[in-house]
Amino acid sequence: MAVLKGAAIFGQSGGPTSVINASAAGVFTEALKQDCITKVYGMAHGIKGALDEQFYDMSQEDLETFELMKTTPSSALGSVRYKLAKAEDDDTDYKRLLEVFKKYDIRYFFYNGGNDSMDTCNKISKYMQKSGYEMRVMGVPKTIDNDLFGTDHCPGYGSAAKYIATSTMEVYLDARVYDKGMVTILEIMGRNAGWLTAAAQLATIKGCGPDLIYLPEKPFDLDDCMNKVAEIYKKNKNCIIAVSEGIKDKDGKYISEYGTDLAQQKDSFGHAQLGGLAATLANFAKQKTGAKVRGIEFSLLQRCSAHLGSKTDVEESFRAGQEAVKAAVSGVTDHMVAFERDMSSGSYVCNTKLLNLSEVANTEKTVPLSWIKDDDSGLTQDFIDYALPLIQGESCPPMVDGTPVCTS
Amino acid sequence: MAVLKGAAIFGQSGGPTSVINASAAGVFTEALKQDCITKVYGMAHGIKGALDEQFYDMSQEDLETFELMKTTPSSALGSVRYKLAKAEDDDTDYKRLLEVFKKYDIRYFFYNGGNDSMDTCNKISKYMQKSGYEMRVMGVPKTIDNDLFGTDHCPGYGSAAKYIATSTMEVYLDARVYDKGMVTILEIMGRNAGWLTAAAQLATIKGCGPDLIYLPEKPFDLDDCMNKVAEIYKKNKNCIIAVSEGIKDKDGKYISEYGTDLAQQKDSFGHAQLGGLAATLANFAKQKTGAKVRGIEFSLLQRCSAHLGSKTDVEESFRAGQEAVKAAVSGVTDHMVAFERDMSSGSYVCNTKLLNLSEVANTEKTVPLSWIKDDDSGLTQDFIDYALPLIQGESCPPMVDGTPVCTS
């Protein structure tokens, strides 16, 4: 394979994570080492930055910045949710990108994101090939949702899972202090895949897990859930439920809409945002049990709490970025870096592999139904064996004067 | 002062904190060292445990347990919210306590809590004195609300403040990733005192603080707030507001009730719990700005996140427990241990002092109005100088297999 000489560009896309910048640091440090890469750019706000010629020149940054990026949550370059049209329907953006790539002699395109971002990579690559513009396009996986197809797990998941497991344990301890008891609803991210909510199961290892766990992989039955809550509360004077934000009933209706229906039914003011799923379920639980109830949303905290990052996740995310650059330089294009678990030594080893972009794009990986217990009491040992290696080790930004230091 | 020989009992009361068990560890380790203390008991669920003879024998615990208690959040013994009647009105509980104290020869009574708990101490002490039962009663301060009168600050506040400052920084970074912008409302605990919400100001030191901060110390004007939000959003495409759960309008009405009014007005189902303050304000902000909005409640997490404890707070909390025992053994009764700041060396030194229980009970300390900026943009440097020493140093439970180890 002939050496391809030119500039490289990297962008971050979709929802941020605690470790998305670790992958960026991996791409940048590796790209800056490569002789064939003449310049290294970071796109401001993903593909929008490429379209608008809003780049950062990463060769201006020092090694300390890249080191700090490993522990800085959220997207340091800025992210975007922007879906490219099909080139057949509207090729405006593609033409513009080609123009920009030519202008800056950009020959390496790295994009960090989930399903949609891999779709973006795929479309760009196909267009450039058709236009005869030589370019290597590589995807770097990222999503706390852990729903990317073909990879054992996704960068970002381990840290979010560690935060969720730890916070669930802490809430468990807090919820048990009074002799009166309480019903607590933990609302966890995940519209279609329940990997994040499943992570609450990891709190059971230390005896501090939820009583019930509901993932979007299975239809949610409100009456059945409330009967179980009442039974557990009656027995233990306490009940903790972890629910995915995306749980739906058998008719495909989001449970979170039950609450807004109630609010909207009578008043146009509240709109669809008054009270989330946790508040809605807490209200139902109060009606059913008369108990003190509390709905807790982990909200953005679960995806940005780099102060409680998984060291395993940070290191793997960095490596995913490095491997994307190495592969591209060696001649690979149209692939995403993926993880492969090797347990042959008896303990967890994570290897990387490459997946064809068209295999990955727009396919979601959900939690296997066989890992979800039939009685809604949680996940099986298979899940624990799967997830536990991903939360190992602690990563925290340098703490100065009581709070973290991050790049800006 | 004659040596008083007998058993000691310790209880935890009110809302738990990340460090309440550190004070318990301080009391227990110190009490077990004292020759005049014949037995050391822990009350299950505070004063209720004393009334019901539900004790733990703490001499059965090993040193490792006490060490682990320092980093275990929530009340290890169980807490309670139980207000004793005035003895003049109903002396049933007091008679029962005297009976129990006599039965177990309990001569030392230590109680860990906030305003109400100091009131409980005070009442018990006065009754026992009147009954001629020799006893030493000491309060150990505790409250994330930091509203105890007469002490520079309260055990529990530093760790909660550290969590709030760090989480605010993380949310700040997360809220800025998209070029579209967002309005974020952070709801922080504090019904009458704004110390916890004020801690969001500490995030500004690293440039990641809120744009607006509202404490219950000042009447909240919804229109004025929304005008400011709109202005800031227009200018920066982003706005973060930190609000105390206890903010009220000029008529003394809780702003959190504005939302439930709307829900209740038309439907009896939603009760007072559908949507909290953050959701309510987020709805108003959406109406005003059309922006993407997000309401985030730090909820229980702010008081139980021992994984991000302040080392200063943990050590001071432990010491508060120790000092209570030392003082009681030396003959003091009817006092609470308090903190006094000594800045004479140019840096923060925390000394302990003793306050008369009747001085402390039922008096709340709020944030000085002169520390709250008139334009609602936050707290002055005086507050930062006050709070910053309290969040110094990191305390975390031992992490084993990716999650914390706590006592149970």
Side-chain angles (χ1 to χ4, degrees):
Chain A
M1 176 73 62
V3 170
L4 178 65
K5 214 173 164 82
I9 195 162
F10 169 79
Q12 298 174 318
S13 176
T17 77
S18 286
V19 302
I20 184 167
N21 294 320
S23 289
V27 167
F28 292 142
T29 50
E30 189 61 37
L32 287 167
K33 275 188 215 162
Q34 301 288 342
D35 291 335
C36 61
I37 296 182
T38 51
K39 273 272 188 187
V40 180
Y41 299 111
M43 307 175 208
H45 297 293
I47 197 69
K48 287 260 280 179
L51 290 163
D52 301 341
E53 281 180 71
Q54 297 287 319
F55 309 155
Y56 302 99
D57 180 351
M58 300 313 299
S59 61
Q60 303 299 313
E61 304 294 337
D62 53 22
L63 277 178
E64 202 189 330
T65 303
F66 296 131
E67 197 53 40
L68 215 46
M69 283 178 78
K70 284 190 194 174
T71 51
T72 296
S74 190
S75 309
L77 303 169
S79 188
V80 70
R81 290 193 191 276
Y82 186 82
K83 211 168 162 73
L84 287 175
K86 284 184 187 167
E88 309 85 277
D89 298 341
D90 179 0
D91 63 358
T92 320
D93 283 344
Y94 297 92
K95 279 185 177 160
R96 171 67 184 144
L97 285 173
L98 181 56
E99 190 178 74
V100 173
F101 292 165
K102 280 183 176 166
K103 180 172 171 188
Y104 293 89
D105 190 29
I106 291 167
R107 298 288 174 175
Y108 293 93
F109 182 90
F110 302 103
Y111 212 47
N112 191 195
N115 290 307
D116 287 345
S117 312
M118 295 308 127
D119 181 56
T120 300
C121 281
N122 204 20
K123 284 173 174 163
I124 291 173
S125 180
K126 297 296 174 291
Y127 183 86
M128 297 304 151
Q129 276 165 32
K130 225 176 111 188
S131 309
Y133 184 77
E134 193 179 1
M135 183 165 220
R136 304 217 177 120
V137 176
M138 291 292 296
V140 183
K142 174 252 32 157
T143 170
I144 57 166
D145 289 328
N146 202 40
D147 59 353
L148 273 168
F149 179 78
T151 182
D152 178 77
H153 58 282
C154 301
Y157 177 63
S159 295
K162 187 184 186 85
Y163 177 84
I164 289 164
T166 302
S167 298
T168 299
M169 289 178 66
E170 291 173 337
V171 168
Y172 175 100
L173 292 171
D174 194 290
R176 252 148 239 265
V177 293
Y178 299 119
D179 55 352
K180 281 183 190 161
M182 185 155 92
V183 175
T184 310
I185 321 281
L186 305 175
E187 179 183 338
I188 300 172
M189 283 182 171
R191 295 298 277 179
N192 303 312
W195 295 105
L196 286 170
T197 305
Q201 180 72 37
L202 300 175
T204 59
I205 298 172
K206 304 260 170 71
C208 301
D211 299 289
L212 297 165
I213 299 183
Y214 293 97
L215 311 189
E217 279 79 357
K218 278 176 67 178
F220 179 83
D221 182 326
L222 182 63
D223 288 336
D224 183 68
C225 170
M226 288 303 138
N227 287 337
K228 283 175 176 150
V229 168
E231 202 177 308
I232 292 166
Y233 180 74
K234 197 176 159 195
K235 199 173 127 203
N236 305 337
K237 273 189 172 176
N238 211 296
C239 182
I240 298 182
I241 321 171
V243 290
S244 279
E245 59 175 338
I247 51 169
K248 291 180 206 156
D249 63 23
K250 62 177 172 29
D251 302 320
K253 185 185 172 86
Y254 284 113
I255 307 304
S256 55
E257 290 172 15
Y258 285 23
T260 47
D261 279 1
L262 289 167
Q264 279 187 324
Q265 215 173 333
K266 310 287 175 103
D267 189 329
S268 66
F269 189 93
H271 292 316
Q273 298 229 12
L274 185 62
L277 173 62
T280 301
L281 285 180
N283 269 294
F284 283 113
K286 181 150 195 84
Q287 290 246 320
K288 181 76 182 182
T289 62
K292 185 177 170 186
V293 295
R294 202 182 268 267
I296 299 177
E297 263 185 82
F298 287 154
S299 191
L300 296 186
L301 303 169
Q302 66 200 293
R303 76 177 188 196
C304 65
S305 290
H307 74 265
L308 187 65
S310 152
K311 195 157 186 278
T312 302
D313 188 24
V314 171
E315 286 169 358
E316 290 176 356
S317 302
F318 184 82
R319 213 167 107 215
Q322 285 182 306
E323 294 299 327
V325 175
K326 285 183 191 169
V329 166
S330 78
V332 178
T333 187
D334 286 354
H335 280 74
M336 182 189 83
V337 175
F339 294 143
E340 198 163 39
R341 180 186 304 240
D342 178 1
M343 297 294 290
S344 61
S345 68
S347 61
Y348 170 85
V349 173
C350 181
N351 297 319
T352 58
K353 62 178 180 181
L354 299 172
L355 294 176
N356 201 300
L357 281 176
S358 43
E359 269 182 78
V360 185
N362 301 317
T363 316
E364 274 180 337
K365 185 183 76 173
T366 53
V367 178
L369 287 176
S370 62
W371 290 6
I372 307 170
K373 289 188 189 166
D374 284 337
D375 61 358
D376 303 322
S377 66
L379 282 289
T380 63
Q381 187 61 38
D382 288 324
F383 171 77
I384 295 177
D385 293 342
Y386 165 80
L388 199 56
L390 312 180
I391 67 165
Q392 297 302 305
E394 284 70 53
S395 163
C396 183
M399 300 290 282
V400 172
D401 222 6
T403 53
V405 179
C406 295
T407 54
S408 55
Chain B
M1 176 74 61
V3 170
L4 178 65
K5 215 174 163 83
I9 196 162
F10 170 78
Q12 298 174 318
S13 176
T17 77
S18 286
V19 301
I20 184 167
N21 293 321
S23 289
V27 167
F28 291 143
T29 49
E30 189 61 37
L32 288 167
K33 276 189 215 161
Q34 300 288 342
D35 291 335
C36 61
I37 295 181
T38 52
K39 273 273 189 188
V40 179
Y41 299 112
M43 307 176 207
H45 297 293
I47 198 68
K48 288 259 281 178
L51 290 163
D52 301 342
E53 280 180 72
Q54 297 288 318
F55 311 154
Y56 303 99
D57 180 352
M58 299 314 298
S59 60
Q60 302 299 312
E61 304 293 336
D62 52 23
L63 276 179
E64 202 189 331
T65 303
F66 296 132
E67 197 52 40
L68 215 47
M69 282 178 80
K70 284 191 194 173
T71 52
T72 296
S74 189
S75 309
L77 302 169
S79 189
V80 72
R81 291 194 190 276
Y82 185 82
K83 210 166 163 72
L84 288 175
K86 283 183 188 168
E88 310 85 276
D89 298 340
D90 178 1
D91 64 357
T92 319
D93 284 344
Y94 298 91
K95 279 186 176 159
R96 171 67 183 143
L97 284 174
L98 180 56
E99 189 178 79
V100 173
F101 292 166
K102 281 183 176 168
K103 179 171 170 189
Y104 293 89
D105 191 30
I106 292 167
R107 298 288 175 175
Y108 293 93
F109 182 90
F110 302 102
Y111 212 46
N112 191 194
N115 289 308
D116 287 344
S117 311
M118 295 309 126
D119 181 56
T120 300
C121 280
N122 205 20
K123 284 172 174 163
I124 291 172
S125 180
K126 297 297 173 290
Y127 183 87
M128 298 303 152
Q129 276 165 33
K130 225 175 112 189
S131 308
Y133 185 77
E134 192 178 2
M135 183 165 219
R136 304 217 177 121
V137 176
M138 290 293 295
V140 182
K142 175 252 32 156
T143 169
I144 58 166
D145 289 328
N146 202 40
D147 60 353
L148 273 168
F149 178 78
T151 181
D152 178 77
H153 58 281
C154 301
Y157 176 64
S159 295
K162 188 185 185 86
Y163 177 83
I164 289 164
T166 302
S167 298
T168 299
M169 289 178 65
E170 291 173 337
V171 168
Y172 174 101
L173 292 171
D174 193 291
R176 251 148 239 266
V177 293
Y178 298 119
D179 55 352
K180 280 184 190 161
M182 184 154 92
V183 175
T184 310
I185 322 281
L186 305 175
E187 179 183 338
I188 301 173
M189 283 182 173
R191 295 298 275 179
N192 303 312
W195 295 105
L196 287 170
T197 305
Q201 180 71 37
L202 300 174
T204 60
I205 298 172
K206 304 262 169 72
C208 301
D211 299 288
L212 298 165
I213 299 182
Y214 293 97
L215 311 188
E217 278 80 356
K218 277 175 68 177
F220 180 83
D221 181 327
L222 182 63
D223 288 336
D224 183 68
C225 170
M226 287 303 137
N227 287 337
K228 282 175 176 150
V229 168
E231 202 178 308
I232 292 167
Y233 180 73
K234 198 176 159 194
K235 199 173 127 205
N236 305 337
K237 272 187 171 179
N238 211 295
C239 183
I240 298 182
I241 322 171
V243 290
S244 278
E245 58 175 339
I247 51 169
K248 291 180 207 159
D249 63 22
K250 62 178 172 30
D251 303 320
K253 185 184 173 87
Y254 284 114
I255 307 304
S256 56
E257 289 172 17
Y258 284 23
T260 47
D261 278 2
L262 290 165
Q264 280 187 323
Q265 214 174 333
K266 311 287 175 102
D267 189 331
S268 65
F269 188 94
H271 292 316
Q273 299 228 11
L274 185 61
L277 173 61
T280 300
L281 286 180
N283 268 294
F284 283 113
K286 182 152 194 81
Q287 290 246 321
K288 181 76 183 181
T289 62
K292 185 177 170 187
V293 295
R294 204 183 267 267
I296 300 178
E297 264 184 82
F298 287 154
S299 191
L300 296 186
L301 302 169
Q302 67 201 292
R303 76 176 189 198
C304 65
S305 290
H307 74 265
L308 186 64
S310 153
K311 195 159 187 277
T312 302
D313 188 25
V314 171
E315 286 168 0
E316 290 177 355
S317 301
F318 184 82
R319 213 166 107 215
Q322 285 181 306
E323 294 300 326
V325 174
K326 285 182 191 168
V329 166
S330 77
V332 179
T333 186
D334 286 355
H335 280 74
M336 181 189 85
V337 174
F339 294 143
E340 198 163 39
R341 179 185 305 238
D342 179 1
M343 297 294 290
S344 61
S345 67
S347 61
Y348 170 86
V349 173
C350 181
N351 297 319
T352 58
K353 62 179 181 181
L354 299 173
L355 294 176
N356 201 299
L357 280 176
S358 44
E359 269 182 78
V360 186
N362 300 316
T363 316
E364 273 180 337
K365 185 183 74 171
T366 53
V367 178
L369 288 176
S370 63
W371 289 8
I372 307 170
K373 288 188 191 165
D374 284 337
D375 61 359
D376 303 323
S377 66
L379 282 288
T380 63
Q381 187 62 38
D382 287 324
F383 171 76
I384 294 177
D385 294 341
Y386 166 80
L388 198 56
L390 312 181
I391 67 165
Q392 297 302 305
E394 283 70 55
S395 163
C396 183
M399 299 291 282
V400 172
D401 223 6
T403 52
V405 179
C406 295
T407 53
S408 55

